[in-house]
Amino acid sequence: NPINFLFFVCYRALIFPLLIREGKPTPFFTFVLALLFCVFNGYLQGRSLTTYAIYPPGWLGDPCFITGFLGWLIGMAINIHSDHILRNLRKPGETGYKIPRGGMFEYVSGANFFGEILEWFGFALACCTIESLAFALCTLFILGSRARQHHK
């Protein structure tokens, strides 16, 4: 669903950066790679959904769409809540490593990553396009490796 995709992109691109406290600066090269990936993926998903995807009448009531939408919604809620926990780990001026507690962090050490992975697999299930599945798999491999690093 293009609305789901746009909602997430707006949250991640406009709202989330305004909520972040001071932290380590992002290297310029990393920023450029992330920007290129997001632009390319946004184009790919938007083009796929608006030009090539064909859905039968009643698709919004199909169990595949409903399950995918719920997965996307739950994943986004986990992602946003986990980001909130991470942003509030330290008091202003405080440094050092802290282990996040609460929410899905009680079950997985990378709850923010888990939420985003769930989100995009839900999106892929709701859309049923090869492009959305490719994005979900990229998310799994990229964030899965980051989650593993954070866990160690």
Side-chain angles (χ1 to χ4, degrees), residues 5-86:
F5 187 75
L6 288 174
F7 180 77
F8 175 80
V9 170
C10 288
Y11 169 76
R12 199 42 102 190
L14 303 174
I15 298 168
F16 181 75
L18 297 174
L19 298 174
I20 296 175
R21 293 182 186 169
E22 292 179 34
K24 293 184 265 180
T26 301
F28 184 72
F29 184 68
T30 302
F31 167 77
V32 170
L33 286 178
L35 178 67
L36 290 173
F37 176 81
C38 290
V39 167
F40 176 73
N41 183 58
Y43 171 78
L44 185 67
Q45 298 303 323
R47 180 84 175 177
S48 167
L49 292 172
T50 59
T51 306
Y52 301 109
I54 299 171
Y55 298 102
W59 175 248
L60 298 180
D62 187 276
C64 190
F65 175 82
I66 293 170
T67 304
F69 178 76
L70 289 174
W72 174 83
L73 192 62
I74 292 167
M76 179 168 238
I78 291 169
N79 192 3
I80 291 171
H81 185 251
S82 299
D83 285 344
H84 173 76
I85 290 171
L86 290 171

